[in-house]
Amino acid sequence: MGQHKTDEETHKVFNQPSPLEGYNAFTSDRILQHYVNAFGGGWGDEALTRYGHLVGNELQTAGFDANRYPPTFHSHDRFGYRIDLVEYHPAYHQLMAAAIGARHHCLPWVDERAGAHVVRAGIEYLHTQADPGSGCPLTMTFASVPVISQQADIAKEWLPKITTNDYDPRNIPFYEKPGLTIGMAMTEKQGGSDVSANTTYAYPLETTGPGKPYGLVGHKWFCSAPMCDAFLVLANADKGLTCFLLPRWRPDGSKNAMIIQRLKNKMGNVSNASSEVEYRGAFAWMVGEEGHGVSTILKMVALTRFDCMVGSSAIMRHAAAQAIHHTGGREAFGRNLHEQPLMQNVLADLALESEAALAISMRLAHSLDQHDDYERALFRIGTALGKYWICKRTPQQTYEAMECIGGVAVVEDNVLARLYRESPINAIWEGSGNIQCLDVSRVIRKHPTVIDAFINELEMAAGQIAQYDSELSRLKDELMSDLEDDRSLRRLVEMMALLWQASTLIQYTEPFISDAFVSSRLDAFYRHMYGTLPSHTDFKRIMTRAAPKLDNPSR
Ligand SMILES: Cc1cc2nc3c(=O)[nH]c(=O)nc-3n(C[C@H](O)[C@H](O)[C@H](O)COP(=O)(O)OP(=O)(O)OC[C@H]3O[C@@H](n4cnc5c(N)ncnc54)[C@H](O)[C@@H]3O)c2cc1C
């Protein structure tokens, strides 16, 4: 009879990969570096390298903590005074302070160099890989600037503090703080997509008109990041839906009558508080013309939609990087998973999808950096196509990456579980899928010059891959013929998005990537399941390009 084994002797851990941590999320990402350079953001290398280091190190931990300890709501203090306070874990503040320090929320508004939007999109892309939730107030603050700029008197006081790199989370009046953050509140219980159903109303406190103070009465069903210093809000004035800036504190230093009802108990986006609020005569300034609320706030919505593209591309990248890294350190049936042909096809496919998403996101960041009609037109149609398509692909990508990693990916210690729960969010807020499709249809019917610009962009990639050329001519025919009805819209929008991704890859990256994309995504027999790339694909090269390039691979 042998001796009893001690606990330590029951098994030895082997065939487990090293965790992807303690790395630089920028310098390890060859693909991100490629597109930042290709679109004129090369001068941001140093800032991106600095932020990439934070994201791969302390902000990874902060991302886990900020989601493990969700925000909590305190309606009253211990003496019974109403405080409407949302308390966050210190990790959330760490994430916010780091991002604001890196100018996630303002870079192009304070640095006019060409490429500033590209560099800022790079910062967002990196930050999302630490924590997508805190990206919500960062994005809203960034996107509020063009709206607030429309109201010169308010802009003069607010913009310098919105575009500073000081993060000040204190719950005190805006005029006492060095740095301010901005949220938005449009959605009501009876209608989110259809804001014309809004019932919140506004009445003048003195004289009427832009820049003047109003009282707001009503409710909002979703108001994320309710500790922001002010919110862009839609409410009905005499002439219809109008945009207002509603501060948390009134200018006289008293608490504004914005009452938080409760926080939403969300499946994803957990680090970010989303609340239901009521306005009981809340103070707000009118922004833009009365009755033009939708067109005023759309300047913000266009940018938040763009940020959804960048954010979802980042989630895709994070998922693909985790899957490629993990499988490289794992064997099954006597062979490393990277050497198993079927797994190679899945990993290369994840890499390809992620690169195509980043390529069109960065192409649009480049449009924002240009100031001409052509680029404005491309941005107009590109945000609808990109938000629709990238956000729709993200849940499939995170799920497939989970499967590559196997059972442990389902466990909450692994970031994949969080990425999966986060993955549908961007598709729903800021205009859900169908709303993006209806927007494309509106552009086709009402803005032919935008479609001309889009086709022109696709034609720039013509003459190199026959399959692409024939799909492009098919799309042109479809766009010439009348849209039968909205039931065929998703099919058309998908075709437009795929051709645009293909065209961007053909123009801006290496042929082995664009060839693989075209021969799969534009093939009539393309199966939407991952791992169905044709057998002539250069799988290993695609995987290697996407694999995180680590300075110290043994870690
Ligand atoms: C985590 C999170 C945070 C949010 N934060 C905010 C916030 O800070 N501020 C804010 O204002 N809102 C916020 N929202 C709300 C979000 O913007 C809305 O949920 C979204 O706009 C959809 O509105 P809804 O939920 O009322 O759905 P509905 O408008 O009821 O839409 C339901 C479905 O119907 C589809 N649909 C609508 N019209 C049509 C049509 N004509 N044809 C075909 N299909 C159609 C939509 O695409 C959608 O799929 C947040 C949402 C989430 C999930």
Side-chain angles (χ1 to χ4, degrees), residues 252-271:
D252 66 6
S254 61
K255 189 180 164 310
N256 205 358
M258 170 183 138
I259 311 296
I260 299 176
Q261 303 299 296
R262 58 175 170 170
L263 299 187
K264 303 276 197 194
N265 182 11
K266 294 174 293 181
M267 60 160 287
N269 206 250
V270 171
S271 64

Side-chain angles (χ1 to χ4, degrees), residues 15-331:
N15 192 26
Q16 283 285 354
S18 61
L20 181 56
E21 57 190 31
Y23 69 111
N24 187 313
F26 181 64
T27 56
S28 65
D29 186 343
R30 288 167 265 231
I31 301 173
L32 176 59
Q33 291 171 66
H34 170 78
Y35 287 99
V36 166
N37 276 298
F39 291 118
W43 54 264
D45 255 28
E46 213 180 297
L48 288 162
T49 301
R50 245 190 336 266
Y51 208 63
H53 176 80
L54 280 180
V55 166
N57 290 276
E58 48 262 51
L59 295 187
Q60 274 308 311
T61 314
F64 273 99
D65 286 346
N67 285 277
R68 191 176 294 131
Y69 306 104
T72 49
F73 172 53
H74 306 281
S75 58
H76 296 80
D77 70 7
R78 66 186 189 279
F79 305 107
Y81 292 104
R82 183 102 215 169
I83 50 171
D84 291 299
L85 184 80
V86 177
E87 189 185 348
Y88 295 90
H89 187 270
Y92 175 85
H93 296 304
Q94 186 187 352
L95 286 154
M96 289 293 289
I100 286 179
R103 300 189 190 274
H104 178 312
H105 67 305
C106 74
L107 182 68
W109 313 136
V110 294
D111 187 335
E112 288 180 356
R113 270 181 285 182
H117 276 284
V118 170
V119 176
R120 189 247 154 209
I123 301 274
E124 184 200 341
Y125 192 76
L126 294 171
H127 184 84
T128 307
Q129 295 177 57
D131 173 49
S134 48
C136 171
L138 293 163
T139 267
M140 293 192 291
T141 303
F142 163 68
S144 72
V145 171
V147 178
I148 295 175
S149 302
Q150 294 174 68
Q151 197 56 54
D153 39 355
I154 296 175
K156 196 168 157 217
E157 183 175 8
W158 283 75
L159 287 189
K161 291 184 174 191
I162 292 173
T163 54
T164 172
N165 53 0
D166 286 318
Y167 172 58
D168 185 346
R170 289 175 301 161
N171 186 22
I172 56 173
F174 57 91
Y175 51 80
E176 291 179 12
K177 298 176 86 170
L180 302 173
T181 54
I182 306 292
M184 78 198 293
M186 300 191 290
T187 310
E188 297 188 4
K189 295 185 182 78
Q190 67 283 358
S193 311
D194 181 8
V195 289
S196 68
N198 275 193
T199 58
T200 296
Y201 67 91
Y203 55 89
L205 297 178
E206 303 162 1
T207 50
T208 59
K212 300 294 178 206
Y214 282 70
L216 263 58
V217 176
H219 78 280
K220 294 291 167 184
W221 184 227
F222 274 92
C223 175
S224 288
M227 294 310 291
C228 284
D229 296 290
F231 305 85
L232 285 160
V233 174
L234 285 183
N236 286 293
D238 284 349
K239 294 182 187 161
L241 264 188
T242 306
C243 183
F244 293 89
L245 184 71
L246 187 152
R248 269 185 74 74
W249 293 80
R250 292 177 203 259
D252 66 6
S254 61
K255 189 180 164 310
N256 205 358
M258 170 183 138
I259 311 296
I260 299 176
Q261 303 299 296
R262 58 175 170 170
L263 299 187
K264 303 276 197 194
N265 182 11
K266 294 174 293 181
M267 60 160 287
N269 206 250
V270 171
S271 64
N272 176 37
S274 298
S275 66
E276 295 165 20
V277 297
E278 282 189 8
Y279 306 131
R280 301 183 185 161
F283 175 96
W285 295 279
M286 186 185 283
V287 174
E289 291 299 320
E290 184 174 339
H292 289 78
V294 173
S295 58
T296 304
I297 212 163
L298 265 182
K299 292 197 169 57
M300 180 172 190
V301 173
L303 289 176
T304 52
R305 286 179 179 171
F306 163 70
D307 269 14
C308 285
M309 292 173 62
V310 178
S312 286
S313 303
I315 294 173
M316 283 184 159
R317 159 70 193 171
H318 200 179
Q322 289 282 341
I324 294 173
H325 178 77
H326 181 100
T327 45
R330 182 85 170 165
E331 278 184 12

